Amino acid sequence: MTKIKMTEMKLTICLAMSLALSGCTSMNIFKDSPSASEKSLADDEPELAVAKPQPDESLSSSAKGTLSASQIRKAISGKSWKWTGAKTNGVTLFADDGSSLIEFEGLGTTTGKWEARDGQLCESVAPFPSLPTGQDLKCRPMSGGGNRYQVGPATFTLA
């Protein structure tokens, strides 16, 4: 197997285990093709994941100011986050290597890339049926701390 396929397989397994452990049974993470009756993102820009980590003393000061890139990485890396945006909802697994597995509720699953910058979470989305062109890397301001983070218009909670 290629390195990319192995990484995708590991992400899929990690996401499945995370969702099973969290009791999140309402989302079909492995749904690849939306039905014709489901909405499409082709004309909409998806609202991407933003994080809410478990309480962590080293992050508590972030509520007072801008999160550093290392605080953002520590908060989201290796975890699955349930997110709610202005137009879409879903779950994203942010892998330690900067890749992500993204489930858009009712629309399908795809992969992406992410990186942390001071005060910002940057994400890209690979093409999939509901978003045929994907989305190039886009950075959004990230704020919050404890169990609640806001990234642009989206709110993240630990899945």
Side-chain angles (χ1 to χ4, degrees):
M1 289 187 153
T2 67
K3 185 176 180 179
I4 293 173
K5 289 200 183 281
M6 289 295 290
T7 299
E8 288 177 2
M9 186 180 343
K10 287 178 186 176
L11 282 172
T12 301
I13 291 168
C14 288
L15 182 58
M17 289 174 38
S18 174
L19 290 175
L21 292 173
S22 70
C24 182
T25 59
S26 64
M27 291 186 66
N28 183 357
I29 297 300
F30 302 104
K31 183 177 180 182
D32 291 328
S33 302
S35 69
S37 65
E38 294 174 331
K39 64 181 180 178
S40 172
L41 285 179
D43 297 325
D44 267 348
E45 175 184 318
E47 297 303 327
L48 302 176
V50 181
K52 289 183 196 175
Q54 298 173 355
D56 183 327
E57 293 302 318
S58 66
L59 296 176
S60 60
S61 64
S62 65
K64 299 174 187 172
T66 301
L67 295 168
S68 69
S70 65
Q71 286 175 309
I72 293 171
R73 278 190 296 277
K74 183 175 181 180
I76 68 171
S77 185
K79 300 172 187 160
S80 291
W81 294 95
K82 187 172 185 174
W83 47 270
T84 303
K87 300 174 186 174
T88 58
N89 303 312
V91 176
T92 299
L93 170 64
F94 293 94
D96 293 335
D97 67 358
S99 62
S100 59
L101 180 63
I102 309 159
E103 162 73 16
F104 289 91
E105 188 174 316
L107 298 174
T109 303
T110 189
T111 59
K113 301 278 184 197
W114 71 275
E115 64 182 63
R117 297 181 184 170
D118 286 344
Q120 297 183 322
L121 176 62
C122 305
E123 298 177 87
S124 66
V125 178
F128 72 112
S130 294
L131 188 63
T133 60
Q135 179 179 301
D136 291 335
L137 192 68
K138 183 171 185 175
C139 298
R140 293 182 174 87
M142 182 170 174
S143 61
N147 287 331
R148 183 172 183 81
Y149 286 89
Q150 191 71 31
V151 177
T155 302
F156 275 47
T157 55
L158 192 58

